[in-house]
Amino acid sequence: MQKYYDYIIIGGGLAGLQLALHIGRDRFFEQRSLAIIEPSEKNFNDKTWCFWEKGKSEWDGIIIKSWKQGYFISSEKNIDLSLSPYSYKMLRSIDFYDYVKSQLEDSPNIKFIKDKISDIDKAATMAYGESHSYNALHIFDSRVTANYAEAPNTTTLFQHFKGWMVETETPQFDPAAFTMMDFKVKYKNSTSFTYVLPITEKKALIEFTFFTPYLTREETYDEHLEKYLREVLNINDYSISETEKGVIPMTDYPFHKESTAKITKIGTGGSWVKGSTGYSFKSCETKVIKLIQNIKEGKDPAENLINERSRIYDSIFLDVLSRNNELGEQIFTKFYSRNSPQEIFRYLDEESDLKEELKIMFSLFHPQFIYSFFRKIT
């Protein structure tokens, strides 16, 4: 069977649902039909997103916790991060899924379909699923290209992690401040650190995280989480109420170049994840707004979504860490000690100008950056 829609979104995750939410609210699209095709029900919490922003936003009603104060900790320095006017916000994916679905449930022209898309005919703008085939005027595709990490002339690291939601009987955490990176416990010769998000005095999400070209055994995360709790936080008596694991590609693979006149790549599959950090929540929101504007102005939806200058910076950084993964602590210490949180956030949000960007790049100086610069631009 074949079904017809004006627009199809393949993938009901972060990018797909943000795009659907904006389409559903914009009167420009009120006579257009939209299908969100996703194989999962998205009815459980599969990840936690964190992001920074100024002031209030639509998401404040569903965030779990926000902070104005943070820490960066290495073997060399303990750095206080005063974030104002930004806040660092924590959001559970299930709350996001439920919120977007509730906002769209009464939209007569929007349909959620449980199916898995296996292939797309780009010439016919046809998506082939396990249950049906779907034809559209335009397809937004969030699927990630297979074997992207083996592509020539590209660099890929993996941000992989395991987190425990830790609960204690007595107060152990300071809920007023989170820890962006703590390098006190590390895996040998790697860029690895602990990330701490205290929710109350007795509850915190603690994640052990790698930025590496390789993955690792599950036992490795557990060993380092236990060590951090015991040796750094001096916590021996605790319970684990939830766990989460994830692998985020940190790559300069040009997913976005696979977009065509009738197929727009979105989300991770569209180069929307920041290559040097793995952050995606606000990037998705910003790019969705621009994409919608492009459609309304009669432009290619993907026009000017990608900042190529920022991709060059990310590519150089990834090349350095890929070849010299043990340098991560030193590089991040320079990053946080020589730049203010406000400068860092502007840079990572791709809102900085060339002068600000050069300041940050020079602050990270290491001979390996020069080598990677010439490797990546020639």
Side-chain angles (χ1 to χ4, degrees):
M1 293 180 62
Q2 191 175 111
K3 300 191 175 185
Y4 297 88
Y5 299 92
D6 289 302
Y7 299 111
I8 290 171
I9 297 173
I10 301 176
L14 175 59
L17 289 182
Q18 288 216 26
L19 177 55
L21 183 63
H22 281 77
I23 289 175
R25 288 177 170 174
D26 196 314
R27 293 187 63 185
F28 179 86
F29 300 98
E30 63 184 1
Q31 300 301 319
R32 311 289 177 87
S33 58
L34 167 67
I36 303 107
I37 305 173
E38 162 62 42
S40 167
E41 295 285 358
K42 294 294 183 183
N43 56 2
F44 64 95
N45 191 63
D46 54 4
K47 57 178 66 72
T48 299
W49 288 300
C50 287
F51 57 96
W52 52 83
E53 62 182 356
K54 296 179 182 178
K56 296 182 179 181
S57 75
E58 172 169 12
W59 315 112
D60 285 355
I62 56 174
I63 64 168
I64 295 297
K65 180 70 177 175
S66 67
W67 300 268
K68 288 282 192 181
Q69 184 71 32
Y71 302 109
F72 171 88
I73 302 168
S74 71
S75 56
E76 301 174 23
K77 296 186 177 183
N78 288 11
I79 302 169
D80 289 343
L81 305 174
S82 296
L83 309 184
S84 185
Y86 293 90
S87 295
Y88 194 74
K89 301 180 180 182
M90 176 184 181
L91 173 61
R92 287 162 54 92
S93 62
I94 184 60
D95 297 325
F96 171 79
Y97 301 146
D98 288 347
Y99 175 75
V100 174
K101 289 176 183 178
S102 71
Q103 294 291 303
L104 298 177
E105 62 185 358
D106 294 327
S107 300
N109 60 327
I110 296 178
K111 186 172 184 179
F112 288 86
I113 299 173
K114 186 178 179 181
D115 200 354
K116 184 176 182 179
I117 300 300
S118 58
D119 196 15
I120 292 178
D121 182 336
K122 294 182 179 180
T125 328
M126 180 81 71
Y128 298 98
E130 294 178 349
S131 301
H132 299 280
S133 296
Y134 309 89
N135 189 228
L137 297 176
H138 201 96
I139 295 175
F140 301 97
D141 184 11
S142 67
R143 296 173 307 153
V144 175
T145 306
N147 303 319
Y148 67 88
E150 282 78 50
N153 304 315
T154 63
T155 304
T156 297
L157 298 178
F158 299 101
Q159 180 181 153
H160 52 108
F161 56 88
K162 183 174 183 179
W164 290 348
M165 188 68 77
V166 172
E167 299 189 29
T168 61
E169 291 291 333
T170 59
Q172 299 286 348
F173 306 108
D174 176 10
F178 74 102
T179 301
M180 181 71 82
M181 292 177 157
D182 188 342
F183 286 92
K184 285 197 182 79
V185 173
K186 288 197 303 181
Y187 186 75
K188 58 185 178 182
N189 300 320
S190 75
T191 299
S192 54
F193 56 90
T194 309
Y195 177 49
V196 183
L197 300 171
I199 300 168
T200 71
E201 292 182 338
K202 299 180 182 180
K203 185 176 182 178
L205 177 61
I206 302 175
E207 292 187 347
F208 192 73
T209 303
F210 289 84
F211 289 0
T212 55
Y214 54 82
L215 301 177
T216 190
R217 301 174 301 115
E218 176 134 0
E219 294 80 1
T220 301
Y221 306 109
D222 294 338
E223 291 165 2
H224 287 78
L225 285 166
E226 290 170 358
K227 184 175 182 180
Y228 187 83
L229 281 159
R230 183 179 64 254
E231 297 184 5
V232 178
L233 298 182
N234 298 313
I235 298 175
N236 293 295
D237 186 13
Y238 57 89
S239 61
I240 301 169
S241 58
E242 297 178 35
T243 64
E244 67 175 42
K245 295 183 292 182
V247 179
I248 301 170
M250 301 170 63
T251 182
D252 58 5
Y253 181 87
F255 296 107
H256 59 289
K257 292 186 177 180
E258 296 169 8
S259 292
T260 67
K262 294 185 177 181
I263 312 288
T264 300
K265 300 291 289 183
I266 64 172
T268 304
S271 305
W272 289 14
V273 174
K274 182 70 173 170
S276 58
T277 66
Y279 279 98
S280 60
F281 192 90
K282 290 301 289 185
S283 173
C284 278
E285 186 174 40
T286 301
K287 286 177 169 54
V288 161
I289 292 169
K290 176 61 176 173
L291 184 155
I292 294 289
Q293 179 184 344
N294 285 343
I295 293 175
K296 293 167 71 173
E297 293 177 357
K299 300 177 181 177
D300 185 319
E303 185 172 326
N304 294 326
L305 289 186
I306 304 301
N307 184 322
E308 293 296 344
R309 197 167 71 214
S310 291
R311 281 183 57 81
I312 292 172
Y313 302 146
D314 288 347
S315 183
I316 294 168
F317 173 81
L318 289 170
D319 189 66
V320 171
L321 274 196
S322 177
R323 294 182 299 100
N324 307 272
N325 200 244
E326 74 284 353
L327 291 178
E329 180 180 0
Q330 179 183 341
I331 292 170
F332 280 110
T333 300
K334 291 178 179 179
F335 190 47
Y336 282 98
S337 63
R338 297 178 179 180
N339 304 284
S340 71
Q342 295 75 21
E343 290 172 322
I344 289 170
F345 289 164
R346 279 182 52 78
Y347 173 75
L348 295 179
D349 284 340
E350 301 179 358
E351 296 174 348
S352 52
D353 59 29
L354 181 59
K355 181 179 178 181
E356 293 169 308
E357 292 157 10
L358 290 175
K359 173 186 179 295
I360 284 181
M361 294 304 291
F362 282 121
S363 76
L364 302 178
F365 180 77
H366 187 283
Q368 289 296 334
F369 276 87
I370 298 175
Y371 181 57
S372 290
F373 173 81
F374 285 104
R375 274 172 50 87
K376 284 297 184 177
I377 68 167
T378 57

